[in-house]
Amino acid sequence: MFSSRPPSAEVLKVKVLDEKRQPQKRLRSLKDLLAAADFKPEDRKALFSLHGRELFQLTTINFDTLHIDIQARLSRGRTATDSQRTLLFDVLLPILENLLDNLSEDIQKGWQARTLSRLLGKLLANGNDLRLRKVAVALMVKWLGILHVNTSNEALRVFSSLVAGHEAESQDSRLHDPFLPTTSTPTLSPSAQARQNAAEVMDALFSALTKLIRPHDATAEYNASAFLFLLRLWARVYYTTLYPAASIRIGIPHLLTQVKPSSPEEEAFANSTESTPTGSPVLSPRSHGSTVPNSSDQHHTLPSSPLGTPTKQQQQQQQ
């Protein structure tokens, strides 16, 4: 039996850049090109340097087309097909990660921030397939790590939409529109399911943050500044609301006021999230993959802040 030889990188490159071909075929050729054995790192750098913006547009066109196709099936009471899921998980998402890696200089300046906010907002939407949300969390962390001090208000709103209840702070309806709704039948009560989903998403966030300072790729750079920037955002948006009593005990709200925001956008965002919402869900730390409501966390005596100044919550309790 004769086996067909895979097309060379040069042939695949021609297919990718051929604007007469269908966008999905071009995208699949790009996936094959990036995986081709004879496509060297310098070739990859040259491709994205010369054609990166065109490839980004090609990717977003395919994302939007796939979303429309999936929504059309859902409107008829059907679910996404296996081929649609394969296109999303095996082609589109890996290519989007490649674009973030190879166009980081442009992205760091805020290029396509609005488009990325819209796209990641759909991928991260509560109600999406949990597997999709976990991949999207890693992409969001990579994107915000690139933006850092240039992070926009839209990007910060995307970050604050990870857990159900937080996204209500955004008036952008695009953040509520799931890309690939979950099809699994819930086995828990709605509140318990929400807590479990929140814990799963937070685990994905921690894993993505860890990769910033412990990259699997030996050639990747240690990105401590991006890690600290995102850790501060997490503490401000999620730790103080998911674990309100614990964050007060260790003085997180006070400590955050002592850290100068790294951008005007982060400062404005910080001012809008200073107070801890009442009635926020409280999660206990994950233990052996389980999620348990931490009802006792709300009954500890509130301590003074690290500098001895009573917190607002403590003053209210004393009154």
Side-chain angles (χ1 to χ4, degrees):
M1 295 289 294
F2 294 97
S3 59
S4 60
R5 179 179 299 179
S8 66
E10 193 60 36
V11 171
L12 290 169
K13 181 179 177 182
V14 172
K15 291 183 176 181
V16 169
L17 300 177
D18 184 359
E19 296 183 357
K20 296 180 180 180
R21 299 182 73 219
Q22 293 180 355
Q24 188 179 137
K25 289 184 177 180
R26 292 178 63 191
L27 194 77
R28 290 185 181 277
S29 294
L30 177 57
K31 172 183 177 292
D32 294 338
L33 176 61
L34 295 174
D38 57 338
F39 191 61
K40 300 177 181 178
E42 55 268 28
D43 298 327
R44 181 189 299 259
K45 184 176 181 180
L47 174 70
F48 284 100
S49 176
L50 295 173
H51 307 286
R53 297 189 172 216
E54 177 185 350
L55 297 178
F56 183 89
Q57 183 179 16
L58 174 66
T59 303
T60 56
I61 288 173
N62 276 276
F63 263 115
D64 291 338
T65 301
L66 178 59
H67 186 217
I68 292 172
D69 291 344
I70 292 176
Q71 292 301 310
R73 288 186 61 84
L74 292 173
S75 67
R76 298 193 299 269
R78 301 178 182 178
T79 59
T81 65
D82 289 342
S83 62
Q84 288 174 331
R85 289 177 175 272
T86 298
L87 176 61
L88 176 60
F89 286 104
D90 296 348
V91 182
L92 278 166
L93 293 174
I95 286 177
L96 181 57
E97 182 175 13
N98 266 278
L99 288 166
L100 292 175
D101 287 333
N102 291 280
L103 298 176
S104 58
E105 291 185 5
D106 288 332
I107 291 172
Q108 196 274 334
K109 298 173 184 177
W111 178 71
Q112 293 293 343
R114 188 177 297 274
T115 299
L116 286 167
S117 294
R118 175 182 63 84
L119 180 56
L120 288 172
K122 288 181 180 294
L123 298 177
L124 289 163
N126 288 285
N128 263 331
D129 182 278
L130 190 56
R131 177 190 172 196
L132 173 59
R133 297 191 71 209
K134 289 181 177 181
V135 176
V137 165
L139 292 173
M140 180 206 61
V141 166
K142 183 182 289 288
W143 177 46
L144 291 180
I146 294 171
L147 283 175
H148 200 180
V149 296
N150 295 323
T151 299
S152 64
N153 286 327
E154 283 189 327
L156 291 170
R157 284 197 294 269
V158 171
F159 181 83
S160 70
S161 70
L162 294 181
V163 175
H166 288 72
E167 75 277 12
E169 297 172 5
S170 171
Q171 297 178 354
D172 190 344
S173 62
R174 295 171 301 185
L175 299 182
H176 306 273
D177 187 10
F179 193 99
L180 182 69
T182 181
T183 57
S184 60
T185 303
T187 58
L188 302 172
S189 66
S191 59
Q193 188 67 53
R195 289 195 296 271
Q196 178 171 314
N197 289 345
E200 293 281 357
V201 170
M202 286 297 106
D203 278 354
L205 179 60
F206 299 149
S207 177
L209 286 174
T210 301
K211 290 180 181 179
L212 291 175
I213 54 175
R214 295 180 183 174
H216 296 316
D217 185 353
T219 63
E221 296 182 0
Y222 176 93
N223 200 341
S225 60
F227 171 82
L228 293 174
F229 166 69
L230 286 161
L231 185 64
R232 187 164 65 247
L233 281 183
W234 170 80
R236 187 183 302 281
V237 177
Y238 291 109
Y239 193 82
T240 55
T241 54
L242 294 178
Y243 308 88
S247 69
I248 292 168
R249 285 200 303 274
I250 61 178
I252 287 291
H254 177 82
L255 290 174
L256 288 174
T257 64
Q258 309 305 308
V259 180
K260 183 180 179 180
S262 56
S263 68
E265 288 78 10
E266 187 190 347
E267 182 175 9
F269 186 72
N271 293 335
S272 69
T273 57
E274 279 184 350
S275 61
T276 301
T278 58
S280 297
V282 181
L283 305 183
S284 67
R286 302 293 303 279
S287 175
H288 305 293
S290 63
T291 305
V292 182
N294 190 354
S295 58
S296 63
D297 194 31
Q298 304 179 29
H299 303 294
H300 290 281
T301 302
L302 301 178
S304 299
S305 67
L307 298 183
T309 304
T311 63
K312 292 181 180 179
Q313 288 85 351
Q314 187 180 15
Q315 293 173 351
Q316 293 173 354
Q317 189 184 64
Q318 290 173 348
Q319 294 173 356

